[in-house]
C-alpha cells in the first residue's frame, strides 16, 4: 500500500502481502543462506560428521552426503531454496563437491554482506564475483594435472578420496576397484575422447552379508524370477534373445463371437491355439536362443513349451533393463519372434537364478566386453546400503569426470589455497571497488581448508597461517592439510586427488547462486500463494524434521 496524490491510498498488492525491500530483503536472504551453509559445514571432509535425518513419517536416514541433506531439508525460505538448488546442480553435473559448493556460496554471501555494509552496491559485488570466478577457472586449469585412461592406480585414488569420508570407507579398496572397473567398462571412445555414461551401471541393493561382499557383475542382474518352475535354473553358454512383443495369442480388437457346436470343434480350436504358440516357441528355439527376455507377457502354454526345450524365459522385463541387457550382451531387441535369428542374439557365459535371502535375482554373468554392468550392493542394514549407494554414486561420478577430462587436482584444501593466493594477486589488477569484491571472493574460498581443519579438530588459524605460508613457496601448489597430523603436506604424496571438473563446478554453481541472491532487492510473499517465507521475526519455519540442528530454529533475520 502506498500513498497516492491527495493522500488516497493506492492498493497495488493484495492486503496481507508481506514485503521486505532493499537492504532488509538482502539481509534476509543472506541470513537464510548462511544458516543452510552452516548446517552442512560439519559434514565436510574425511573427519566430517554425519547427519541423521528424520522425516515426518519417522523414517531415518543417516548420511554425510551434502546433496542428500540439502534435498531432505524441507527449506521454505526462497534464498535457502536456492542453495538447495546449488547442491542439486552440483550433484547432477559432477556428482561430488556438493558440501563444498554450499559452504562456498554461504561464505560468498557472508562476505558480500560485509561489503554491502560498507555501502558497496550489489552490482559491483556481482561483477567482482563474476571476474573472480572466471579467473578462478584459469587458475584451476593451470594447476590441473593430467591422468591417462590406463592409469588405474590414479583413478582408484580419485575414487578413494571421494569415498574416504563416507561409510563405505570400511571397504575402501574393494569399492574403489569396483568403481574404476565399472566406469572403464562402460566408457567408450568417441572422437578421440572418452565418454562414460554411468547410467549404464546398474545398481542393485540386497540386504544381507556385508559391504565387503558388494560385487561387480560384468553383465546384468535383474530383480526377476524365471517365469516357470519347469525351466532350468542355470544355463551355461547362454545365447540371449530380447523380445519386445508378447508371446501370447493376439486377442482380436473387436468382440467376436465364435460358435462352437461340438466337442470336436472345441478341440480344433484349442489345437489351433496350441499350434500357434508352438510356432512362436519354435521361432525362439530355431534361432539358437536358450535364454529369452520378454518385455511383455508370455502365455502359460508357451512357457511350458519353452521349458521343455530347456529355455530360460523371463517375462515383463522393464524397458530400461532390456536396453541395458542389449548393451551388456550385444543382443538386438526385436519386435517380433519372426525376427529372431543367430545374428540378433547376445551372449553370456552363464545365466542363473540366485537366491539371496528370500529373494531371487537373475544373474547374466561374464558377458564379453559388456557396455553395461551391474553392481550388487550388500550390507547389514538398509541404512548402510542406502548410504553406500549414495557414496558409490559420488565415486562413479568422480571417476567418470577424470576419465572424460583426463585432469585432476590435489585435495585437502590445496587448490583452494592456490585459488585464494591467485585471486588476491588478481584483485590488485582489477582495482577500483570491484577489487574489494575479488578480495572477498579470495577470502571466502579459504573457508574450505578452514572448515576441513576445524572438522578435524585442528586449530583453524594456525593451519591457515601455515597453509598460506607454504603456498608462497615455489612448487607448493599441491600442498594441503594432513587431517591426521595437522601438518601441511604435499597431498599428492598421500594420493589425495580430486577431479578438476568438481572444483570447476563448485566455483561455477556457488558464484551463480550467490549472484542471483545478491540481485534480489525485493522479497514479496503473496498471501495464500503457496509456501513463502515467514517474515521476520519468524525464523526458518520450514526446517521440518531437522529439529536437532543447532541454531536454525529461532534465528531472527
Ligand atoms: P563434498 O560434498 O564437498 O564432496 P566431502 O565431505 O566429500 O564434501 O569432502 C570433500 C573435501 O575433503 C575435499 O576438499 C577433499 O579434498 C577433502 N578431503 C578428502 N579426503 C581428504 C584427506 N584424506 N585429507 C584431507 N582432505 C581430504
Ligand atoms: Mg565428496
Amino acid at each position: 500500500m502506498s500513498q497516492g496524490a491527495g493522500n488516497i491510498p493506492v492498493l497495488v498488492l493484495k492486503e496481507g502481502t508481506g514485503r521486505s525491500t532493499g537492504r532488509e530483503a538482502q539481509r534476509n536472504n543472506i541470513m537464510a543462506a548462511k544458516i543452510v551453509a552452516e548446517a552442512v559445514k560439519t559434514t565436510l571432509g574425511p573427519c566430517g560428521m554425519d547427519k541423521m535425518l528424520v522425516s515426518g513419517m519417522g523414517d531415518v536416514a543417516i548420511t554425510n552426503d551434502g546433496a542428500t541433506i540439502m534435498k531432505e531439508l524441507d527449506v521454505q525460505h526462497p534464498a535457502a531454496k536456492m542453495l538447495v538448488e546449488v547442491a542439486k546442480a552440483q550433484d547432477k553435473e559432477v556428482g561430488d563437491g556438493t558440501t563444498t559448493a554450499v559452504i562456498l556460496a554461504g561464505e560468498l554471501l557472508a562476505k558480500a554482506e560485509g561489503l554491502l555494509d560498507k555501502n558497496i552496491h550489489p552490482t559491483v559485488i556481482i561483477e567482482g564475483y563474476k571476474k573472480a570466478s572466471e579467473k578462478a577457472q584459469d587458475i584451476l586449469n593451470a594447476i590441473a594435472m593430467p591422468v591417462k585412461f590406463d592409469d588405474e592406480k590414479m583413478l582408484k585414488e580419485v575414487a578413494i578420496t571421494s569415498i574416504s569420508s563416507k561409510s563405505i570407507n570400511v571397504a575402501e579398496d574393494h569399492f574403489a576397484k569396483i568403481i574404476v572397473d565399472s566406469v572403464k567398462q562402460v566408457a567408450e571412445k568417441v572422437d578421440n575422447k572418452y565418454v562414460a555414461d554411468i547410467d549404464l551401471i546398474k545398481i542393485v541393493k540386497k540386504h544381507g552379508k556385508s559391504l565387503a561382499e558388494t560385487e561387480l557383475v560384468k553383465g546384468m542382474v535383474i530383480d526377476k524370477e524365471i517365469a516357470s518352475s519347469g525351466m532350468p535354473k542355470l544355463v551355461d553358454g547362454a545365447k540371449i534373445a530380447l523380445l519386445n512383443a508378447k508371446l501370447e495369442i493376439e486377442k482380436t480388437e473387436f468382440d467376436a463371437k465364435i460358435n462352437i457346436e461340438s466337442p470336436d470343434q472345441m478341440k480344433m480350436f484349442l489345437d489351433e491355439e496350441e499350434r500357434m504358440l508352438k510356432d512362436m516357441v519354435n521361432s525362439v528355439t530355431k534361432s539358437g536362443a536358450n535364454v529369452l527376455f520378454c518385455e511383455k507377457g508370455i502365455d502359460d502354454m508357451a512357457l511350458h513349451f519353452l521349458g521343455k526345450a530347456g529355455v530360460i524365459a523371463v517375462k515383463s522385463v522393464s524397458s530400461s533393463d532390456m536396453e541395458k541387457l542389449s548393451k551388456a550382451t550385444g543382443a538386438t531387441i526385436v519386435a517380433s519372434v519372426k525376427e529372431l535369428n543367430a545374428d540378433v542374439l547376445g551372449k553370456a557365459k552363464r545365466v542363473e537364478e540366485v537366491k539371496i535371502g528370500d529373494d531371487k535375482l537373475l544373474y547374466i554373468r561374464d558377458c564379453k566386453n559388456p557396455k553395461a554392468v551391474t553392481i550388487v550392493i550388500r550390507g547389514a542394514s538398509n541404512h548402510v546400503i542406502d548410504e553406500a549407494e549414495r557414496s558409490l554414486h559420488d565415486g562413479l561420478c568422480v571417476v567418470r569426470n577424470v576419465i572424460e577430462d583426463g585432469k585432476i587436482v590435489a585435495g585437502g584444501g590445496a587448490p583452494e589455497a592456490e585459488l585464494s593466493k591467485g585471486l588476491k594477486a588478481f584483485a590488485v589488477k582489477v582495482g577500483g571497488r570491484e577489487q574489494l569484491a575479488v578480495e572477498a571472493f579470495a577470502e571466502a574460498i579459504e573457508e574450505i581448508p578452514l572448515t576441513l581443519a576445524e572438522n578435524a579438530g585442528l586449530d583453524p588459524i594456525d593451519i591457515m597461517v601455515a597453509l598460506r605460508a607454504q603456498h608462497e613457496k615455489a612448487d607448493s601448489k599441491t600442498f594441503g592439510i594432513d587431517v591426521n597430523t595437522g601438518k601441511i603436506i604435499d597431498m599428492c604424496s598421500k594420493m589425495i586427488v580430486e577431479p578438476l571438473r568438481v572444483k570447476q563446478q563448485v566455483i561455477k554453481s556457488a558464484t551463480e547462486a550467490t549472484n542471483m541472491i545478491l540481485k534480489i532487492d525485493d522479497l514479496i510473499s503473496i498471501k495464500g500463494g503457496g509456501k513463502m517465507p515467514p517474515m521476520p521475526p519468524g525464523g526458518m519455519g520450514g526446517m521440518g524434521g531437522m529439529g536437532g540442528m543447532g541454531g536454525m530454529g529461532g534465528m531472527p533475520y
Side-chain angles (χ1 to χ4, degrees), residues 55-82:
S55 79
M57 306 284 288
D59 292 339
V60 177
I62 299 168
T63 184
N64 178 285
D65 185 51
T68 309
I69 299 168
M70 297 296 282
K71 257 185 256 161
E72 296 295 325
L73 283 183
D74 187 9
V75 173
Q76 292 211 348
H77 195 288
K81 273 190 176 153
M82 286 171 108

Side-chain angles (χ1 to χ4, degrees), residues 67 71 86-96 98 393-394 397:
K71 257 185 256 161
V86 171
K88 279 191 193 155
Q90 184 74 25
D91 194 44
K92 189 167 153 273
E93 295 288 328
V94 295
D96 197 12
T98 41
H393 169 255
D394 287 10
C397 285

